[in-house]
Amino acid sequence: MADVTQNGANVRFSTRVQSRKGLTSGEAIATIGMPVYIKASDGKVYKCDVNASAEAALCVGVAMHAPAAADQPLDVAYFDPDYTPGFTLTKGIIYVPSATAGGIAPVADVVSGWYLSTLLIPTSTTKAILSVINSQVAT
C-alpha cells in the first residue's frame, strides 16, 4: 500500500470537533487534514513524520485549514467523531501518520523504525473517528 491522497477540498469537520485554537505554524502546511505535531523548542506546529524522530512522530492532530505559511495562525483538530478526511476509507483499516511528512497511511504500511500513532478509525467509506493516540514506541 502507500500513503493516501487527500483532497483538501473534501475535508470536513463536524460540529462536535475538538481542537486547539491559536497555534502558529512552524513551516508551510499545504493541505487541510495533514497530521501535525508541536515542536517543544519553539511551540510551533509542524508536519508529523513517524520515522524522523520521537518528537516529530508525536502527532497532536490535523491541520484545520490550509495553506498556512510558516509563522501563520493554525488551528489543530485532535478529536472528531464524524470527520470526513477527504479520501476513500476502508472500514476495518486503521489509518496512521506516515513516514512522509504530513502524510497518512494505512496501518499495514507500518514498518520497523516508525513511531506508531492512531489517527483515523473509519466508520464508513467517507467518515472516520479522528482520535489521536500516540504510543511513542518505535516498531
Side-chain angles (χ1 to χ4, degrees):
M1 299 187 120
D3 283 9
V4 301
T5 301
Q6 269 190 303
N7 180 344
N10 294 332
V11 174
R12 299 283 183 272
F13 297 93
S14 78
T15 57
R16 300 184 333 202
V17 66
Q18 295 178 17
S19 62
R20 292 181 66 175
K21 308 269 188 207
L23 298 169
T24 302
S25 180
E27 66 180 333
I29 305 295
T31 306
I32 185 173
M34 279 187 149
V36 295
Y37 76 98
I38 298 173
K39 187 182 274 189
S41 63
D42 63 10
K44 294 180 181 179
V45 177
Y46 295 83
K47 294 176 270 194
C48 286
D49 185 340
V50 299
N51 67 347
S53 69
E55 181 181 44
L58 191 57
C59 184
V60 295
V62 298
M64 291 188 75
H65 49 88
D71 296 319
Q72 287 187 328
L74 184 67
D75 297 338
V76 174
Y78 59 87
F79 179 78
D80 190 340
D82 197 28
Y83 176 62
T84 304
F87 60 91
T88 302
L89 298 151
T90 302
K91 284 184 74 172
I93 302 289
I94 302 298
Y95 292 85
V96 299
S98 82
T100 302
I104 298 172
V107 73
D109 284 6
V110 173
V111 297
S112 181
W114 284 29
Y115 290 88
L116 187 59
S117 298
T118 299
L119 186 64
L120 301 172
I121 303 164
T123 56
S124 74
T125 59
T126 59
K127 299 280 188 175
I129 299 168
L130 167 65
S131 184
V132 179
I133 303 169
N134 291 296
S135 73
Q136 281 304 285
V137 175
T139 59

